[in-house]
Amino acid sequence: MLENLKPQAADKILELMQFYREDPRDNKVDLGVGVYKDATGHTPIMRAVKAAEKQLWEQETTKSYTALSGDPAFGAAMRDLVLADTVPADRVAAIATPGGTGAIRQAFELARLANPDTTVWTSNPTWPNHLSILKFMGLPNREYAYFDEASCTVDFDAMMASLADVKAGDVVLLHGCCHNPTGANLTLDQYGKVADLIAEKGALALVDIAYQGFGDGLEEDAAPTRLLASKLPEMMIAASCSKNFGVYRERAGCLMAISERAEQTANAQGSLNFLNRQNYSFPPDHGARLVTMILTDPALKADWMAELEEVRQGMLTLRQNLADELRQRTNSDRFDFIAQHRGMFSRIGATPEEVLKIREDFGIYMVGDSRMNIAGLNDRTVPLLAEAIAKTCA
Ligand SMILES: Cc1ncc(COP(=O)(O)O)c(C=O)c1O
């Protein structure tokens, strides 16, 4: 039977990683995969994570199963991190999931359980996994306009116009901050307008938040999600710990479901537990436990926040330096948006042919839609990239 299996289409980002590895040039630059790198090109383990791991090694006495939801303390810690006191805790159900992607998958499953006829609305463009998981699950998907290719900013009027077709019972997937792949974000005021529209339509918002702390700060980056939660009767939040705790391979994520009334939370929690049981039973615990320890220990939390802030500032500096270099080389403000974008990514509006030329001529690797990982740059490579863009795209 297994002979019936067909080759699967290669994941574009993983394929790019492969090309990069095979490129013999010493001065090649990887701006593809969404992983934070320091100035030496290394993805470090955060200090607080190392310290928590040491404590855990000394204190942990069992590796027995936790709960189907994961440790409830993790759900509570993530609720506090993302929502603070925006909604009463008794309206929030939560499960641990294998990374943020696991949370996205379970959110789609929960939506389908609640409404088998749901259509999921995603931004154009969005993180490719949103689309591929929806397709694999056979869930109807519609796109809403989001990005203006010419200015590399959000086309808010077009976005609102396309969301006018949303129906009651549909899911509207929003990026909580640091929009991947574009780096162009809604203002808080615009998030408020989107929330009003979703409420008016009777749809369910799903917020994917994978970069809290990478944009304007931990609290600032949570503000859109909190605003939506304060305006909407119910909502889902898929939160990833991969990037902001640097625990990519541990697969730590959390799905929260906010019900309109506290009496509904038990059913929401039961459904989330059920979905974990059906898909993989108990979720991974190690990364989630480290995150819980960090968020509930004032000293570890302070150190984590300090290091996250260093990372954030580093990325802002890289953005500004790249925008400055491009201004100088192109003698125009065409690429100023790079300094305004937030998070790890920016889509720079180059054509696929230009992206390929930059790869071939300069050994600089970015995804075909011209999404680049800002965190893959450093002081040495910023001028190289600016030169490549100026020579190829100007
Ligand atoms: C928008 C978005 N959501 C969710 C994730 C989930 O990441 P992970 O499954 O590694 O936690 C990512 C990772 O790139 C992302 O960019």
mmCIF file with all atom_site columns, all heavy atoms in Angstrom, residues 34 98-102 104 127 130 175 180 208 210-211 240-243 248 251-252 345 371, ligand 1:
data_model
loop_
_atom_site.group_PDB
_atom_site.id
_atom_site.type_symbol
_atom_site.label_atom_id
_atom_site.label_alt_id
_atom_site.label_comp_id
_atom_site.label_asym_id
_atom_site.label_entity_id
_atom_site.label_seq_id
_atom_site.pdbx_PDB_ins_code
_atom_site.Cartn_x
_atom_site.Cartn_y
_atom_site.Cartn_z
_atom_site.occupancy
_atom_site.B_iso_or_equiv
_atom_site.pdbx_formal_charge
_atom_site.auth_seq_id
_atom_site.auth_comp_id
_atom_site.auth_asym_id
_atom_site.auth_atom_id
_atom_site.pdbx_PDB_model_num
ATOM   1   N N   . GLY A 1 34  ? 12.655 31.433 9.714  1.00 0.00 ? 34  GLY A N   1
ATOM   2   C CA  . GLY A 1 34  ? 12.284 32.363 10.785 1.00 0.00 ? 34  GLY A CA  1
ATOM   3   C C   . GLY A 1 34  ? 12.852 32.001 12.146 1.00 0.00 ? 34  GLY A C   1
ATOM   4   O O   . GLY A 1 34  ? 12.116 31.617 13.059 1.00 0.00 ? 34  GLY A O   1
ATOM   5   N N   . PRO A 1 98  ? 1.809  21.326 20.748 1.00 0.00 ? 98  PRO A N   1
ATOM   6   C CA  . PRO A 1 98  ? 3.181  21.269 20.224 1.00 0.00 ? 98  PRO A CA  1
ATOM   7   C C   . PRO A 1 98  ? 3.480  22.528 19.401 1.00 0.00 ? 98  PRO A C   1
ATOM   8   O O   . PRO A 1 98  ? 3.165  22.601 18.213 1.00 0.00 ? 98  PRO A O   1
ATOM   9   C CB  . PRO A 1 98  ? 3.177  20.020 19.333 1.00 0.00 ? 98  PRO A CB  1
ATOM   10  C CG  . PRO A 1 98  ? 1.888  19.321 19.608 1.00 0.00 ? 98  PRO A CG  1
ATOM   11  C CD  . PRO A 1 98  ? 0.925  20.346 20.096 1.00 0.00 ? 98  PRO A CD  1
ATOM   12  N N   . GLY A 1 99  ? 4.001  23.533 20.034 1.00 0.00 ? 99  GLY A N   1
ATOM   13  C CA  . GLY A 1 99  ? 4.335  24.801 19.379 1.00 0.00 ? 99  GLY A CA  1
ATOM   14  C C   . GLY A 1 99  ? 3.098  25.596 19.003 1.00 0.00 ? 99  GLY A C   1
ATOM   15  O O   . GLY A 1 99  ? 1.941  25.180 19.244 1.00 0.00 ? 99  GLY A O   1
ATOM   16  N N   . GLY A 1 100 ? 3.340  26.750 18.405 1.00 0.00 ? 100 GLY A N   1
ATOM   17  C CA  . GLY A 1 100 ? 2.235  27.595 17.948 1.00 0.00 ? 100 GLY A CA  1
ATOM   18  C C   . GLY A 1 100 ? 1.496  26.943 16.784 1.00 0.00 ? 100 GLY A C   1
ATOM   19  O O   . GLY A 1 100 ? 0.289  27.124 16.617 1.00 0.00 ? 100 GLY A O   1
ATOM   20  N N   . THR A 1 101 ? 2.228  26.167 15.974 1.00 0.00 ? 101 THR A N   1
ATOM   21  C CA  . THR A 1 101 ? 1.575  25.493 14.845 1.00 0.00 ? 101 THR A CA  1
ATOM   22  C C   . THR A 1 101 ? 0.551  24.490 15.351 1.00 0.00 ? 101 THR A C   1
ATOM   23  O O   . THR A 1 101 ? -0.539 24.355 14.781 1.00 0.00 ? 101 THR A O   1
ATOM   24  C CB  . THR A 1 101 ? 2.627  24.765 13.972 1.00 0.00 ? 101 THR A CB  1
ATOM   25  O OG1 . THR A 1 101 ? 3.701  25.663 13.723 1.00 0.00 ? 101 THR A OG1 1
ATOM   26  C CG2 . THR A 1 101 ? 2.033  24.318 12.656 1.00 0.00 ? 101 THR A CG2 1
ATOM   27  N N   . GLY A 1 102 ? 0.907  23.783 16.434 1.00 0.00 ? 102 GLY A N   1
ATOM   28  C CA  . GLY A 1 102 ? -0.048 22.853 17.046 1.00 0.00 ? 102 GLY A CA  1
ATOM   29  C C   . GLY A 1 102 ? -1.292 23.599 17.516 1.00 0.00 ? 102 GLY A C   1
ATOM   30  O O   . GLY A 1 102 ? -2.417 23.102 17.384 1.00 0.00 ? 102 GLY A O   1
ATOM   31  N N   . ILE A 1 104 ? -2.488 26.397 16.242 1.00 0.00 ? 104 ILE A N   1
ATOM   32  C CA  . ILE A 1 104 ? -3.254 26.776 15.049 1.00 0.00 ? 104 ILE A CA  1
ATOM   33  C C   . ILE A 1 104 ? -4.106 25.600 14.579 1.00 0.00 ? 104 ILE A C   1
ATOM   34  O O   . ILE A 1 104 ? -5.296 25.717 14.308 1.00 0.00 ? 104 ILE A O   1
ATOM   35  C CB  . ILE A 1 104 ? -2.283 27.192 13.904 1.00 0.00 ? 104 ILE A CB  1
ATOM   36  C CG1 . ILE A 1 104 ? -1.538 28.480 14.252 1.00 0.00 ? 104 ILE A CG1 1
ATOM   37  C CG2 . ILE A 1 104 ? -2.995 27.318 12.575 1.00 0.00 ? 104 ILE A CG2 1
ATOM   38  C CD1 . ILE A 1 104 ? -2.371 29.713 14.194 1.00 0.00 ? 104 ILE A CD1 1
ATOM   39  N N   . TRP A 1 127 ? 1.207  33.485 6.660  1.00 0.00 ? 127 TRP A N   1
ATOM   40  C CA  . TRP A 1 127 ? 2.208  32.446 6.883  1.00 0.00 ? 127 TRP A CA  1
ATOM   41  C C   . TRP A 1 127 ? 1.762  31.191 6.128  1.00 0.00 ? 127 TRP A C   1
ATOM   42  O O   . TRP A 1 127 ? 0.623  30.731 6.323  1.00 0.00 ? 127 TRP A O   1
ATOM   43  C CB  . TRP A 1 127 ? 2.298  32.197 8.390  1.00 0.00 ? 127 TRP A CB  1
ATOM   44  C CG  . TRP A 1 127 ? 3.343  31.245 8.811  1.00 0.00 ? 127 TRP A CG  1
ATOM   45  C CD1 . TRP A 1 127 ? 4.613  31.147 8.342  1.00 0.00 ? 127 TRP A CD1 1
ATOM   46  C CD2 . TRP A 1 127 ? 3.202  30.234 9.816  1.00 0.00 ? 127 TRP A CD2 1
ATOM   47  N NE1 . TRP A 1 127 ? 5.279  30.146 8.995  1.00 0.00 ? 127 TRP A NE1 1
ATOM   48  C CE2 . TRP A 1 127 ? 4.439  29.570 9.900  1.00 0.00 ? 127 TRP A CE2 1
ATOM   49  C CE3 . TRP A 1 127 ? 2.172  29.829 10.653 1.00 0.00 ? 127 TRP A CE3 1
ATOM   50  C CZ2 . TRP A 1 127 ? 4.670  28.527 10.793 1.00 0.00 ? 127 TRP A CZ2 1
ATOM   51  C CZ3 . TRP A 1 127 ? 2.394  28.791 11.546 1.00 0.00 ? 127 TRP A CZ3 1
ATOM   52  C CH2 . TRP A 1 127 ? 3.630  28.152 11.609 1.00 0.00 ? 127 TRP A CH2 1
ATOM   53  N N   . HIS A 1 130 ? -0.564 28.355 7.500  1.00 0.00 ? 130 HIS A N   1
ATOM   54  C CA  . HIS A 1 130 ? -2.008 28.537 7.701  1.00 0.00 ? 130 HIS A CA  1
ATOM   55  C C   . HIS A 1 130 ? -2.759 27.900 6.543  1.00 0.00 ? 130 HIS A C   1
ATOM   56  O O   . HIS A 1 130 ? -3.712 27.147 6.732  1.00 0.00 ? 130 HIS A O   1
ATOM   57  C CB  . HIS A 1 130 ? -2.367 30.034 7.743  1.00 0.00 ? 130 HIS A CB  1
ATOM   58  C CG  . HIS A 1 130 ? -1.894 30.742 8.976  1.00 0.00 ? 130 HIS A CG  1
ATOM   59  N ND1 . HIS A 1 130 ? -1.629 32.084 8.993  1.00 0.00 ? 130 HIS A ND1 1
ATOM   60  C CD2 . HIS A 1 130 ? -1.655 30.304 10.227 1.00 0.00 ? 130 HIS A CD2 1
ATOM   61  C CE1 . HIS A 1 130 ? -1.244 32.441 10.203 1.00 0.00 ? 130 HIS A CE1 1
ATOM   62  N NE2 . HIS A 1 130 ? -1.249 31.378 10.966 1.00 0.00 ? 130 HIS A NE2 1
ATOM   63  N N   . HIS A 1 175 ? -3.134 38.221 12.681 1.00 0.00 ? 175 HIS A N   1
ATOM   64  C CA  . HIS A 1 175 ? -1.822 38.098 13.316 1.00 0.00 ? 175 HIS A CA  1
ATOM   65  C C   . HIS A 1 175 ? -1.790 39.097 14.473 1.00 0.00 ? 175 HIS A C   1
ATOM   66  O O   . HIS A 1 175 ? -2.079 40.283 14.272 1.00 0.00 ? 175 HIS A O   1
ATOM   67  C CB  . HIS A 1 175 ? -0.711 38.408 12.310 1.00 0.00 ? 175 HIS A CB  1
ATOM   68  C CG  . HIS A 1 175 ? -0.639 37.424 11.176 1.00 0.00 ? 175 HIS A CG  1
ATOM   69  N ND1 . HIS A 1 175 ? 0.548  36.879 10.750 1.00 0.00 ? 175 HIS A ND1 1
ATOM   70  C CD2 . HIS A 1 175 ? -1.594 36.884 10.406 1.00 0.00 ? 175 HIS A CD2 1
ATOM   71  C CE1 . HIS A 1 175 ? 0.309  36.030 9.743  1.00 0.00 ? 175 HIS A CE1 1
ATOM   72  N NE2 . HIS A 1 175 ? -0.989 36.035 9.521  1.00 0.00 ? 175 HIS A NE2 1
ATOM   73  N N   . ASN A 1 180 ? 3.631  38.031 9.914  1.00 0.00 ? 180 ASN A N   1
ATOM   74  C CA  . ASN A 1 180 ? 4.466  37.176 9.094  1.00 0.00 ? 180 ASN A CA  1
ATOM   75  C C   . ASN A 1 180 ? 3.635  36.750 7.886  1.00 0.00 ? 180 ASN A C   1
ATOM   76  O O   . ASN A 1 180 ? 2.565  36.195 8.078  1.00 0.00 ? 180 ASN A O   1
ATOM   77  C CB  . ASN A 1 180 ? 4.895  35.940 9.898  1.00 0.00 ? 180 ASN A CB  1
ATOM   78  C CG  . ASN A 1 180 ? 5.750  34.978 9.083  1.00 0.00 ? 180 ASN A CG  1
ATOM   79  O OD1 . ASN A 1 180 ? 6.242  35.322 8.018  1.00 0.00 ? 180 ASN A OD1 1
ATOM   80  N ND2 . ASN A 1 180 ? 5.929  33.779 9.594  1.00 0.00 ? 180 ASN A ND2 1
ATOM   81  N N   . ASP A 1 208 ? -3.286 34.718 15.950 1.00 0.00 ? 208 ASP A N   1
ATOM   82  C CA  . ASP A 1 208 ? -2.044 33.958 15.950 1.00 0.00 ? 208 ASP A CA  1
ATOM   83  C C   . ASP A 1 208 ? -0.961 34.903 16.459 1.00 0.00 ? 208 ASP A C   1
ATOM   84  O O   . ASP A 1 208 ? -0.618 35.886 15.784 1.00 0.00 ? 208 ASP A O   1
ATOM   85  C CB  . ASP A 1 208 ? -1.748 33.501 14.508 1.00 0.00 ? 208 ASP A CB  1
ATOM   86  C CG  . ASP A 1 208 ? -0.444 32.722 14.412 1.00 0.00 ? 208 ASP A CG  1
ATOM   87  O OD1 . ASP A 1 208 ? 0.214  32.518 15.448 1.00 0.00 ? 208 ASP A OD1 1
ATOM   88  O OD2 . ASP A 1 208 ? -0.086 32.324 13.284 1.00 0.00 ? 208 ASP A OD2 1
ATOM   89  N N   . ALA A 1 210 ? 2.849  34.955 17.618 1.00 0.00 ? 210 ALA A N   1
ATOM   90  C CA  . ALA A 1 210 ? 4.066  34.144 17.674 1.00 0.00 ? 210 ALA A CA  1
ATOM   91  C C   . ALA A 1 210 ? 5.307  34.983 17.974 1.00 0.00 ? 210 ALA A C   1
ATOM   92  O O   . ALA A 1 210 ? 6.402  34.433 18.088 1.00 0.00 ? 210 ALA A O   1
ATOM   93  C CB  . ALA A 1 210 ? 4.250  33.399 16.348 1.00 0.00 ? 210 ALA A CB  1
ATOM   94  N N   . TYR A 1 211 ? 5.131  36.307 18.086 1.00 0.00 ? 211 TYR A N   1
ATOM   95  C CA  . TYR A 1 211 ? 6.316  37.172 18.215 1.00 0.00 ? 211 TYR A CA  1
ATOM   96  C C   . TYR A 1 211 ? 6.136  38.225 19.301 1.00 0.00 ? 211 TYR A C   1
ATOM   97  O O   . TYR A 1 211 ? 6.664  39.332 19.183 1.00 0.00 ? 211 TYR A O   1
ATOM   98  C CB  . TYR A 1 211 ? 6.611  37.841 16.861 1.00 0.00 ? 211 TYR A CB  1
ATOM   99  C CG  . TYR A 1 211 ? 6.809  36.838 15.744 1.00 0.00 ? 211 TYR A CG  1
ATOM   100 C CD1 . TYR A 1 211 ? 5.748  36.439 14.939 1.00 0.00 ? 211 TYR A CD1 1
ATOM   101 C CD2 . TYR A 1 211 ? 8.060  36.261 15.528 1.00 0.00 ? 211 TYR A CD2 1
ATOM   102 C CE1 . TYR A 1 211 ? 5.923  35.489 13.942 1.00 0.00 ? 211 TYR A CE1 1
ATOM   103 C CE2 . TYR A 1 211 ? 8.242  35.319 14.523 1.00 0.00 ? 211 TYR A CE2 1
ATOM   104 C CZ  . TYR A 1 211 ? 7.171  34.936 13.736 1.00 0.00 ? 211 TYR A CZ  1
ATOM   105 O OH  . TYR A 1 211 ? 7.357  34.001 12.750 1.00 0.00 ? 211 TYR A OH  1
ATOM   106 N N   . SER A 1 240 ? 2.569  31.105 20.428 1.00 0.00 ? 240 SER A N   1
ATOM   107 C CA  . SER A 1 240 ? 3.787  30.296 20.309 1.00 0.00 ? 240 SER A CA  1
ATOM   108 C C   . SER A 1 240 ? 4.841  30.803 21.295 1.00 0.00 ? 240 SER A C   1
ATOM   109 O O   . SER A 1 240 ? 4.991  32.003 21.485 1.00 0.00 ? 240 SER A O   1
ATOM   110 C CB  . SER A 1 240 ? 4.345  30.421 18.890 1.00 0.00 ? 240 SER A CB  1
ATOM   111 O OG  . SER A 1 240 ? 5.662  29.906 18.831 1.00 0.00 ? 240 SER A OG  1
ATOM   112 N N   . CYS A 1 241 ? 5.588  29.879 21.884 1.00 0.00 ? 241 CYS A N   1
ATOM   113 C CA  . CYS A 1 241 ? 6.709  30.275 22.756 1.00 0.00 ? 241 CYS A CA  1
ATOM   114 C C   . CYS A 1 241 ? 8.041  30.076 22.036 1.00 0.00 ? 241 CYS A C   1
ATOM   115 O O   . CYS A 1 241 ? 9.099  30.331 22.610 1.00 0.00 ? 241 CYS A O   1
ATOM   116 C CB  . CYS A 1 241 ? 6.713  29.434 24.034 1.00 0.00 ? 241 CYS A CB  1
ATOM   117 S SG  . CYS A 1 241 ? 5.166  29.485 24.938 1.00 0.00 ? 241 CYS A SG  1
ATOM   118 N N   . SER A 1 242 ? 7.977  29.598 20.788 1.00 0.00 ? 242 SER A N   1
ATOM   119 C CA  . SER A 1 242 ? 9.210  29.224 20.089 1.00 0.00 ? 242 SER A CA  1
ATOM   120 C C   . SER A 1 242 ? 10.180 30.385 19.968 1.00 0.00 ? 242 SER A C   1
ATOM   121 O O   . SER A 1 242 ? 11.375 30.246 20.240 1.00 0.00 ? 242 SER A O   1
ATOM   122 C CB  . SER A 1 242 ? 8.875  28.723 18.678 1.00 0.00 ? 242 SER A CB  1
ATOM   123 O OG  . SER A 1 242 ? 8.031  27.608 18.768 1.00 0.00 ? 242 SER A OG  1
ATOM   124 N N   . LYS A 1 243 ? 9.660  31.541 19.562 1.00 0.00 ? 243 LYS A N   1
ATOM   125 C CA  . LYS A 1 243 ? 10.556 32.656 19.228 1.00 0.00 ? 243 LYS A CA  1
ATOM   126 C C   . LYS A 1 243 ? 10.899 33.482 20.465 1.00 0.00 ? 243 LYS A C   1
ATOM   127 O O   . LYS A 1 243 ? 12.062 33.772 20.713 1.00 0.00 ? 243 LYS A O   1
ATOM   128 C CB  . LYS A 1 243 ? 9.919  33.571 18.184 1.00 0.00 ? 243 LYS A CB  1
ATOM   129 C CG  . LYS A 1 243 ? 9.043  32.869 17.175 1.00 0.00 ? 243 LYS A CG  1
ATOM   130 C CD  . LYS A 1 243 ? 9.780  32.405 15.939 1.00 0.00 ? 243 LYS A CD  1
ATOM   131 C CE  . LYS A 1 243 ? 8.912  31.429 15.161 1.00 0.00 ? 243 LYS A CE  1
ATOM   132 N NZ  . LYS A 1 243 ? 9.339  31.160 13.827 1.00 0.00 ? 243 LYS A NZ  1
ATOM   133 N N   . TYR A 1 248 ? 12.488 26.816 20.214 1.00 0.00 ? 248 TYR A N   1
ATOM   134 C CA  . TYR A 1 248 ? 11.938 26.301 18.958 1.00 0.00 ? 248 TYR A CA  1
ATOM   135 C C   . TYR A 1 248 ? 11.701 24.786 18.964 1.00 0.00 ? 248 TYR A C   1
ATOM   136 O O   . TYR A 1 248 ? 10.620 24.312 18.667 1.00 0.00 ? 248 TYR A O   1
ATOM   137 C CB  . TYR A 1 248 ? 12.886 26.635 17.800 1.00 0.00 ? 248 TYR A CB  1
ATOM   138 C CG  . TYR A 1 248 ? 13.212 28.108 17.678 1.00 0.00 ? 248 TYR A CG  1
ATOM   139 C CD1 . TYR A 1 248 ? 14.221 28.691 18.445 1.00 0.00 ? 248 TYR A CD1 1
ATOM   140 C CD2 . TYR A 1 248 ? 12.516 28.912 16.796 1.00 0.00 ? 248 TYR A CD2 1
ATOM   141 C CE1 . TYR A 1 248 ? 14.517 30.033 18.338 1.00 0.00 ? 248 TYR A CE1 1
ATOM   142 C CE2 . TYR A 1 248 ? 12.810 30.264 16.674 1.00 0.00 ? 248 TYR A CE2 1
ATOM   143 C CZ  . TYR A 1 248 ? 13.813 30.817 17.456 1.00 0.00 ? 248 TYR A CZ  1
ATOM   144 O OH  . TYR A 1 248 ? 14.099 32.141 17.350 1.00 0.00 ? 248 TYR A OH  1
ATOM   145 N N   . ARG A 1 251 ? 8.904  22.659 21.206 1.00 0.00 ? 251 ARG A N   1
ATOM   146 C CA  . ARG A 1 251 ? 7.504  22.647 20.780 1.00 0.00 ? 251 ARG A CA  1
ATOM   147 C C   . ARG A 1 251 ? 6.583  23.059 21.919 1.00 0.00 ? 251 ARG A C   1
ATOM   148 O O   . ARG A 1 251 ? 5.825  22.249 22.474 1.00 0.00 ? 251 ARG A O   1
ATOM   149 C CB  . ARG A 1 251 ? 7.101  21.275 20.204 1.00 0.00 ? 251 ARG A CB  1
ATOM   150 C CG  . ARG A 1 251 ? 8.044  20.702 19.181 1.00 0.00 ? 251 ARG A CG  1
ATOM   151 C CD  . ARG A 1 251 ? 8.392  21.688 18.080 1.00 0.00 ? 251 ARG A CD  1
ATOM   152 N NE  . ARG A 1 251 ? 7.252  22.107 17.273 1.00 0.00 ? 251 ARG A NE  1
ATOM   153 C CZ  . ARG A 1 251 ? 7.070  23.368 16.874 1.00 0.00 ? 251 ARG A CZ  1
ATOM   154 N NH1 . ARG A 1 251 ? 7.923  24.318 17.200 1.00 0.00 ? 251 ARG A NH1 1
ATOM   155 N NH2 . ARG A 1 251 ? 6.035  23.683 16.162 1.00 0.00 ? 251 ARG A NH2 1
ATOM   156 N N   . ALA A 1 252 ? 6.684  24.328 22.278 1.00 0.00 ? 252 ALA A N   1
ATOM   157 C CA  . ALA A 1 252 ? 5.832  24.885 23.336 1.00 0.00 ? 252 ALA A CA  1
ATOM   158 C C   . ALA A 1 252 ? 4.882  25.922 22.729 1.00 0.00 ? 252 ALA A C   1
ATOM   159 O O   . ALA A 1 252 ? 5.314  26.903 22.129 1.00 0.00 ? 252 ALA A O   1
ATOM   160 C CB  . ALA A 1 252 ? 6.689  25.529 24.428 1.00 0.00 ? 252 ALA A CB  1
ATOM   161 N N   . PHE A 1 345 ? 10.351 39.705 10.288 1.00 0.00 ? 345 PHE A N   1
ATOM   162 C CA  . PHE A 1 345 ? 10.286 39.669 8.828  1.00 0.00 ? 345 PHE A CA  1
ATOM   163 C C   . PHE A 1 345 ? 9.949  41.001 8.192  1.00 0.00 ? 345 PHE A C   1
ATOM   164 O O   . PHE A 1 345 ? 9.272  41.835 8.792  1.00 0.00 ? 345 PHE A O   1
ATOM   165 C CB  . PHE A 1 345 ? 9.232  38.655 8.380  1.00 0.00 ? 345 PHE A CB  1
ATOM   166 C CG  . PHE A 1 345 ? 9.482  37.291 8.933  1.00 0.00 ? 345 PHE A CG  1
ATOM   167 C CD1 . PHE A 1 345 ? 8.699  36.787 9.961  1.00 0.00 ? 345 PHE A CD1 1
ATOM   168 C CD2 . PHE A 1 345 ? 10.528 36.523 8.454  1.00 0.00 ? 345 PHE A CD2 1
ATOM   169 C CE1 . PHE A 1 345 ? 8.951  35.541 10.492 1.00 0.00 ? 345 PHE A CE1 1
ATOM   170 C CE2 . PHE A 1 345 ? 10.786 35.272 8.981  1.00 0.00 ? 345 PHE A CE2 1
ATOM   171 C CZ  . PHE A 1 345 ? 10.001 34.777 10.002 1.00 0.00 ? 345 PHE A CZ  1
ATOM   172 N N   . ARG A 1 371 ? 10.258 37.853 1.163  1.00 0.00 ? 371 ARG A N   1
ATOM   173 C CA  . ARG A 1 371 ? 10.231 37.941 2.623  1.00 0.00 ? 371 ARG A CA  1
ATOM   174 C C   . ARG A 1 371 ? 11.625 37.655 3.142  1.00 0.00 ? 371 ARG A C   1
ATOM   175 O O   . ARG A 1 371 ? 12.254 36.664 2.778  1.00 0.00 ? 371 ARG A O   1
ATOM   176 C CB  . ARG A 1 371 ? 9.277  36.883 3.204  1.00 0.00 ? 371 ARG A CB  1
ATOM   177 C CG  . ARG A 1 371 ? 9.249  36.912 4.719  1.00 0.00 ? 371 ARG A CG  1
ATOM   178 C CD  . ARG A 1 371 ? 8.603  35.675 5.304  1.00 0.00 ? 371 ARG A CD  1
ATOM   179 N NE  . ARG A 1 371 ? 9.569  34.609 5.505  1.00 0.00 ? 371 ARG A NE  1
ATOM   180 C CZ  . ARG A 1 371 ? 9.431  33.653 6.422  1.00 0.00 ? 371 ARG A CZ  1
ATOM   181 N NH1 . ARG A 1 371 ? 8.360  33.629 7.195  1.00 0.00 ? 371 ARG A NH1 1
ATOM   182 N NH2 . ARG A 1 371 ? 10.331 32.707 6.555  1.00 0.00 ? 371 ARG A NH2 1
HETATM 183 C C1  . LIG B 2 .   ? 2.699  33.582 12.208 1.00 0.00 ? 1   LIG B C1  1
HETATM 184 C C2  . LIG B 2 .   ? 3.226  32.348 12.861 1.00 0.00 ? 1   LIG B C2  1
HETATM 185 N N1  . LIG B 2 .   ? 2.421  31.637 13.654 1.00 0.00 ? 1   LIG B N1  1
HETATM 186 C C3  . LIG B 2 .   ? 2.847  30.544 14.296 1.00 0.00 ? 1   LIG B C3  1
HETATM 187 C C4  . LIG B 2 .   ? 4.128  30.100 14.165 1.00 0.00 ? 1   LIG B C4  1
HETATM 188 C C5  . LIG B 2 .   ? 4.451  28.881 14.944 1.00 0.00 ? 1   LIG B C5  1
HETATM 189 O O1  . LIG B 2 .   ? 5.713  28.556 15.277 1.00 0.00 ? 1   LIG B O1  1
HETATM 190 P P1  . LIG B 2 .   ? 6.013  27.251 16.116 1.00 0.00 ? 1   LIG B P1  1
HETATM 191 O O2  . LIG B 2 .   ? 5.082  26.167 15.665 1.00 0.00 ? 1   LIG B O2  1
HETATM 192 O O3  . LIG B 2 .   ? 7.433  26.923 15.824 1.00 0.00 ? 1   LIG B O3  1
HETATM 193 O O4  . LIG B 2 .   ? 5.778  27.578 17.560 1.00 0.00 ? 1   LIG B O4  1
HETATM 194 C C6  . LIG B 2 .   ? 5.017  30.775 13.299 1.00 0.00 ? 1   LIG B C6  1
HETATM 195 C C7  . LIG B 2 .   ? 6.370  30.302 13.020 1.00 0.00 ? 1   LIG B C7  1
HETATM 196 O O5  . LIG B 2 .   ? 7.069  30.715 12.133 1.00 0.00 ? 1   LIG B O5  1
HETATM 197 C C8  . LIG B 2 .   ? 4.545  31.961 12.668 1.00 0.00 ? 1   LIG B C8  1
HETATM 198 O O6  . LIG B 2 .   ? 5.340  32.696 11.896 1.00 0.00 ? 1   LIG B O6  1
#
